[in-house]
């Protein structure tokens, strides 16, 4: 759980130079606020519980208020004396963004912070491996094992980095039902080249233990490999000027996929709605404001054609 502090600047200064900040905004960010809020916006009837750590400060209160307004249950958030995690986003209007993140309270988020007895959970989504120190250090594996033992469906996503640290995530895959990641994360996790065919990467990840589905998304296509076979779906062709921001699009895709999985949809339907949810997210500059109710998301995407992709 992060407070995204977005600073709109006129240009990137050289070392020792000054640049003006034109506007400042604050948004709740990270897996919990983004995915949970998107799910509740699309399907308000689905009960969603937030687990995470925040500081006893204004940013922590802000995140809790954002989640509560969306209808997310916040009673399981752990508050501590560490400052709430935040990201300072330096954004040139209509251009590049640079991110500076402070680990804060989230660095101490651990398996013991998730009490599975406090609510009736059917699915547990553990997000942002490689960004949470204790989760990466073994608590992620412990939590997934605990959920699997209780018959709770598990899903996982990661953050993108080019490093050898993906090897630490591989033992967790035996306790993951649904893996939802982008093409770079998938390749690094599988130990493959980023240019490797998606089918081969997905097949390797299934061999590493993912039990139900490997879902991989990239800008032009999304794919799903399950016991039903391999499904691919071209992304939507969007008109010039439609995309207002890409922040949160991956989380929106993940939320759409989780909604499909929750509803026992077939693999193609899961990809169809996940990609539509991502399109809805792209219609706003921040991570969650572009999301709509399910019928509105589907209505929005009726105006667009899908790319023809041959894998």
């Amino acid at each position: 759980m992060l407070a995204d502090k977005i600073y709109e600047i006129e240009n990137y200064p050289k070392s020792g130079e000054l640049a003006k900040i034109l506007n400042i905004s604050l948004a709740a960010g990270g897996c919990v606020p983004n995915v949970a809020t998107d799910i509740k916006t699309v399907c308000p009837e689905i009960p969603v519980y937030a687990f995470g750590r925040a500081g006893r400060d204004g940013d922590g209160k802000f995140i809790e208020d954002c989640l509560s307004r969306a209808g997310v249950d916040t009673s399981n958030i752990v508050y501590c004396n560490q400052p709430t995690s935040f990201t300072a986003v330096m954004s040139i209007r209509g251009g590049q963004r640079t991110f500076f993140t402070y680990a804060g309270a989230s660095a101490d988020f651990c398996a013991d912070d998730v009490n599975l007895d406090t609510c009736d959970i059917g699915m547990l989504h553990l997000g942002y491996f490689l960004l949470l120190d204790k989760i990466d250090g073994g608590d992620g594996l412990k939590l997934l094992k605990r959920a699997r033992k209780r018959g709770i469906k598990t899903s996982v996503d990661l953050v993108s980095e080019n490093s050898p640290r993906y090897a630490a995530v591989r033992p967790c895959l035996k306790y993951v039902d649904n893996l939802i990641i982008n093409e770079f994360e998938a390749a690094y996790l599988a130990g493959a080249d980023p240019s490797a065919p998606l089918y081969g990467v997905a097949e390797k990840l299934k061999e590493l233990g993912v039990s139900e589905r490997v879902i991989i998304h990239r800008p032009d296509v999304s794919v799903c490999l399950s016991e039903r076979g391999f499904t691919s779906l071209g992304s939507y062709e969007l008109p010039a000027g439609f995309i207002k921001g890409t922040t949160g699009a991956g989380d929106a895709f993940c939320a759409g996929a989780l909604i499909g999985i929750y509803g026992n949809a077939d693999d193609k339907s899961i990809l169809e709605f996940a990609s539509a949810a991502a399109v809805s997210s792209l219609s706003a500059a921040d991570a969650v404001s572009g999301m709509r109710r399910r019928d509105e998301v589907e209505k929005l995407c009726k105006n667009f054609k899908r790319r023809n992709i041959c894998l």
Side-chain angles (χ1 to χ4, degrees), residues 26-239:
L26 180 65
C31 176
V32 175
N34 292 351
V35 176
T37 299
D38 284 344
I39 291 173
K40 290 298 290 186
T41 301
V42 174
C43 297
E45 69 278 8
I46 297 178
V48 179
Y49 302 87
F51 289 87
R53 271 188 177 245
R56 296 185 181 94
D57 51 28
D59 287 343
K61 183 65 165 60
F62 173 76
I63 292 170
E64 180 185 348
D65 289 345
C66 289
L67 287 166
S68 295
R69 283 196 300 271
V72 178
D73 186 303
T74 61
S75 60
N76 294 285
I77 295 174
V78 175
Y79 290 92
C80 61
N81 292 325
Q82 278 279 84
T84 298
S85 308
F86 71 87
T87 298
V89 184
M90 303 299 166
S91 176
I92 296 176
R93 184 175 295 172
Q96 191 73 24
R97 289 184 168 198
T98 302
F99 302 86
F100 302 86
T101 192
Y102 174 71
S106 291
D108 290 328
F109 178 68
C110 62
D112 290 341
D113 291 336
V114 181
N115 184 350
L116 299 175
D117 294 323
T118 60
C119 43
D120 183 17
I121 300 173
M123 292 171 57
L124 174 70
H125 181 68
L126 185 55
Y128 286 20
F129 268 94
L130 303 183
L131 197 60
L132 300 167
D133 294 351
K134 291 192 175 181
I135 294 298
D136 297 338
D139 273 32
L141 179 59
K142 185 190 300 184
L143 182 53
L144 291 167
K145 284 183 176 180
R146 190 184 301 165
R148 175 66 67 82
K149 188 175 181 180
R150 296 172 68 106
I152 296 170
K153 293 287 185 183
T154 60
S155 56
V156 159
D157 66 34
L158 298 87
V159 296
S160 299
E161 65 173 51
N162 185 358
S163 81
R165 295 202 305 136
Y166 285 87
V169 182
R170 290 178 194 135
C172 297
L173 298 182
K174 291 187 293 184
Y175 303 95
V176 173
D177 293 301
N178 293 283
L179 181 66
I180 307 168
I181 51 179
N182 69 31
E183 77 275 27
F184 298 109
E185 296 157 359
Y188 295 138
L189 186 57
D193 188 273
S195 62
L198 293 181
Y199 176 79
V201 172
E203 194 172 43
K204 176 63 176 176
L205 293 170
K206 280 283 286 178
E207 290 172 359
L208 287 170
V210 179
S211 59
E212 290 190 5
R213 299 174 190 83
V214 172
I215 297 174
I216 304 173
H217 57 91
R218 71 185 192 199
D220 63 329
V221 68
S222 56
V223 303
C224 177
L225 179 64
S226 73
E227 297 305 316
R228 302 183 183 95
F230 183 72
T231 304
S232 64
L233 186 71
S235 59
Y236 286 102
E237 295 180 344
L238 302 176

Side-chain angles (χ1 to χ4, degrees), residues 286-304:
D286 66 87
V288 298
S289 296
M291 194 54 68
R292 300 154 168 84
R293 290 187 64 115
R294 180 163 196 148
D295 59 337
E296 295 171 339
V297 170
E298 291 170 341
K299 182 179 179 181
L300 171 71
C301 291
K302 283 182 179 178
N303 300 319
F304 309 129

